[in-house]
Amino acid sequence: MNAGVNKGITEDWLSLWIGLLVFVLALGVLAGADILGWVVTTGMWTDVTKALGTGSKAFSGLGGIGALIATYIALLVVMSIGAAALRVDVKRFALGFTAVFWLSYICWIIGSWASFAANTPADMKKFGITWSLRLTSEGGFIVALLAGLFVGNFMPRFAEWMKEAVRPELYVKTAIVILGGFLGVTAAEKLSLATSVMFLGLAAIVCAYLIFWSVVYYVARVWFGFSREWAVPLASGISICGVSAAIATGAAIRARPMVAIMVSSLVVVFAVVELLFLPFLAETYLWHEPLVSGAWMGLSVKTDGAAVASGAITEALVLGKSAAEGVNYAKGWVLGTSATVKVFIDVFIGVWAFVLAYIWTRHIEAKGTDKAKASEIWERFPKFIIGYVITFAVIFALALGAAPATLGKVKAAMGEANAFRGIFFVLTFFTIGVMSNFRKLWEEGIGKLAAVYVVCLFGFIIWVGLLISFLFFGGVKPPLVTG
Amino acid sequence: MNSSPEREVRSSPSVASEMGKMPVEPLLPIEKKLIGWSLGLGIVLLVVLVAVAKLVMRGS
């Protein structure tokens, strides 16, 4: 890593600022200024010329293509300024972002074709089709992921060329900051349920943290004979939150950075494997328990990007299947549950890193001078969560008990912000795919690392995560759509 | 840290050589304590929090 050479801000802080910028501009609707109404939106289609639209009717004159170009230019400017703040090569970033944006968006449009996306009888009838892959309106995310995987694994030169803009963590954290506002409206409308989901999410992750980490650490140390330096990042990467946790806890015990990096390479690959099959498993077996599905994604799928992405896919699949069975749940609760669980997990990374640093410096590698500091909890704290809390709290306060007219404006504002959230999501899916180097699995010596990952993830974490999700969220249902 | 950790993956050194250099380290008593307390606390909290959650949900 180039720490010490480049002194720009972190992706973590950048995602917070970009997310808040979108949020604040969207709030212009409340003051009568429709600042972001030109943002492009994507809908299901059988005639591709009707696939795109604008976030606000006031800008419908732009047309879909005009809105797409306007959105690209706006994001290119903002993200390039962000790249400058990161102190990366802005020109290379801008070129890479251009490729990432257009490829991602083309995937989204393809995935929104009715024969891919339609998943309810009403949609089939509306578009005059008799068969569909039933990927839902989020089908474009899956197409983007597959396209990214293709680029990452079969077009390495192209992937290398655009790598400056291949930043799934930046995109998903920005999306999560924006998501806070959307969930704030949802929570204000169903306060009691929202409070329960937050409490249940917190309780679930406290248990999962302690149980997951200890078991994986034991398996890595005793069954597979890994040293402490390897076992800590491995246990954190598999059991907690993938890359961030592996890096943070690895640093906490003063492991060499390359250990956490090697673990991270597996985390990303396996997160994509989970992302490709867990949401469909949830659709098949858990469609009648939507919030269990959401919590399960948050607890089982590693890395922020893949976890929240799987929550989005799961929500679309589960709600689609429920709708086909005649039960129409409100949107936002499944994804909200995944995001809540993931946010709490991220919050605790710093705490767990501090606990490990304390034990290592006092009991395992005690040298008398190198003591763990409480300030490390703040240093390890994922800053984008501050943005999520701000957007959630502001919108929650505005929407709670608001008059119908004001609530309508708040919803419209968050609708426009949410269009950007969707765009950042599709960028996340595509770049996760590009980042996932499956050839790593065939690298000499990786077998032992992969084996402990497979044993723990597929033999323990996923199923215990499901059990914990059931214990806490079983029987808790999202509100039904009324009217 | 300007680039995300994931971005550094492609330039990592050989896993095989690092695996070969890994020292044999028996489990220390403090590690056994960490595993035991973490697992025990996790299971106890699971039981307690599930009970609390059911009570709260029933009350609401």
Side-chain angles (χ1 to χ4, degrees):
Chain A
M1 272 178 258
N2 295 327
V5 177
N6 297 321
K7 292 287 184 188
I9 65 171
T10 61
E11 283 188 0
D12 200 19
W13 277 110
L14 181 59
S15 61
L16 183 153
W17 295 122
I18 296 174
L20 286 183
L21 174 69
V22 172
F23 175 72
V24 169
L25 293 179
L27 286 182
V29 171
L30 295 179
D34 192 354
I35 302 170
L36 298 180
W38 42 264
V39 63
V40 68
T41 57
T42 310
M44 227 178 278
W45 57 273
T46 45
D47 174 359
V48 73
T49 60
K50 293 177 181 165
L52 303 176
T54 54
S56 161
K57 282 181 185 169
F59 288 84
S60 56
L62 260 181
I65 296 291
L68 181 58
I69 292 169
T71 304
Y72 159 68
I73 292 171
L75 283 179
L76 179 67
V77 171
V78 170
M79 299 308 290
S80 296
I81 293 170
L86 288 173
R87 299 276 171 88
V88 300
D89 185 330
V90 176
K91 188 181 167 193
R92 284 197 69 185
F93 178 88
L95 289 171
F97 183 78
T98 299
V100 166
F101 178 88
W102 286 104
L103 288 173
S104 301
Y105 220 95
I106 288 168
C107 291
W108 199 356
I109 294 171
I110 292 171
S112 301
W113 182 34
S115 294
F116 285 165
N119 71 331
T120 63
D123 281 340
M124 300 249 195
K125 193 176 171 188
K126 180 179 169 189
F127 289 101
I129 55 175
T130 53
W131 180 88
S132 159
L133 277 177
R134 307 171 76 94
L135 289 176
T136 77
S137 53
E138 323 297 275
F141 295 164
I142 304 236
V143 176
L145 177 66
L146 295 174
L149 283 171
F150 182 82
V151 170
N153 288 275
F154 296 105
M155 303 172 75
R157 284 188 184 174
F158 185 43
E160 180 69 18
W161 176 80
M162 69 167 95
K163 74 171 184 181
E164 213 60 91
V166 177
R167 295 174 180 270
E169 294 284 312
L170 171 63
Y171 302 137
V172 80
K173 285 174 180 175
T174 306
I176 291 173
V177 172
I178 299 168
L179 182 66
F182 175 70
L183 295 180
V185 181
T186 310
E189 289 185 308
K190 292 284 174 188
L191 183 58
S192 170
L193 180 58
T195 311
S196 300
V197 167
M198 301 221 5
F199 168 72
L200 294 172
L202 179 61
I205 76 103
V206 167
C207 302
Y209 240 94
L210 295 167
I211 295 172
F212 285 178
W213 195 91
S214 55
V215 170
V216 178
Y217 185 74
Y218 179 85
V219 170
R221 290 280 287 125
V222 177
W223 290 7
F224 288 86
F226 278 95
S227 66
R228 282 183 286 275
E229 185 191 34
W230 281 89
V232 166
L234 201 48
S236 305
I238 300 172
S239 65
I240 304 175
C241 184
V243 175
S244 323
I247 300 285
T249 57
I253 66 152
R254 305 288 181 251
R256 289 166 295 160
M258 67 88 192
V259 173
I261 287 167
M262 284 184 182
V263 170
S264 300
S265 67
L266 275 183
V267 170
V268 177
V269 169
F270 280 106
V272 169
V273 174
E274 289 182 282
L275 176 55
L276 281 172
F277 87 94
L278 282 190
F280 294 94
L281 217 54
E283 181 202 19
T284 307
Y285 298 106
L286 292 173
W287 64 271
H288 54 288
E289 288 285 0
L291 297 194
V292 172
S293 309
W296 189 33
M297 296 306 123
L299 282 177
S300 303
V301 181
K302 306 306 156 189
T303 83
D304 290 330
V308 179
S310 65
I313 294 287
T314 301
E315 171 160 296
L317 291 171
V318 166
L319 264 54
K321 181 143 183 176
S322 302
E325 301 288 334
V327 183
N328 286 299
Y329 290 117
K331 280 185 177 178
W333 289 91
V334 176
L335 174 59
T337 304
S338 302
T340 302
V341 167
K342 206 68 199 163
V343 162
F344 280 133
I345 286 176
D346 283 349
V347 168
F348 275 90
I349 288 175
V351 178
W352 194 245
F354 176 75
V355 169
L356 293 178
Y358 181 86
I359 292 172
W360 253 250
T361 53
R362 308 265 166 166
H363 299 285
I364 294 179
E365 292 167 358
K367 290 172 187 162
T369 53
D370 191 19
K371 302 292 184 194
K373 298 185 189 86
S375 61
E376 285 193 24
I377 295 177
W378 167 248
E379 284 168 23
R380 310 272 180 228
F381 185 86
K383 311 301 184 297
F384 75 96
I385 288 172
I386 298 168
Y388 174 84
V389 171
I390 290 172
T391 57
F392 182 92
V394 168
I395 293 301
F396 182 77
L398 287 171
L400 193 63
T406 308
L407 185 60
K409 284 184 179 176
V410 172
K411 282 185 176 177
M414 287 307 98
E416 289 182 2
N418 209 37
F420 281 96
R421 195 260 298 171
I423 294 167
F424 280 109
F425 262 17
V426 80
L427 299 178
T428 303
F429 275 89
F430 181 75
T431 51
I432 281 179
V434 176
M435 190 70 85
S436 304
N437 186 356
F438 274 81
R439 283 167 299 170
K440 193 86 186 166
L441 291 177
W442 278 265
E443 188 178 319
E444 190 189 354
I446 201 85
K448 198 174 170 186
L449 267 182
V452 69
Y453 212 111
V454 169
V455 166
C456 291
L457 188 66
F458 297 106
F460 177 70
I461 301 280
I462 287 178
W463 311 118
V464 176
L466 178 59
L467 175 67
I468 291 175
S469 303
F470 244 114
L471 286 173
F472 285 105
F473 288 91
V476 185
K477 301 288 170 73
L480 297 171
V481 175
T482 51
Chain B
M1 191 159 55
N2 294 296
S3 56
S4 81
E6 292 171 25
R7 301 171 56 72
E8 305 290 338
V9 168
R10 287 196 178 95
S11 59
S12 57
S14 156
V15 180
S17 66
E18 292 302 324
M19 290 280 139
K21 288 184 223 161
M22 190 161 53
V24 176
E25 294 174 346
L27 212 55
L28 295 172
I30 185 70
E31 289 178 275
K32 289 179 187 167
K33 256 188 191 175
L34 174 64
I35 294 168
W37 274 97
S38 177
L39 185 59
L41 189 62
I43 293 170
V44 169
L45 281 175
L46 183 64
V47 173
V48 172
L49 290 173
V50 166
V52 171
K54 297 296 172 200
L55 281 173
V56 170
M57 297 303 286
R58 196 180 299 165
S60 62

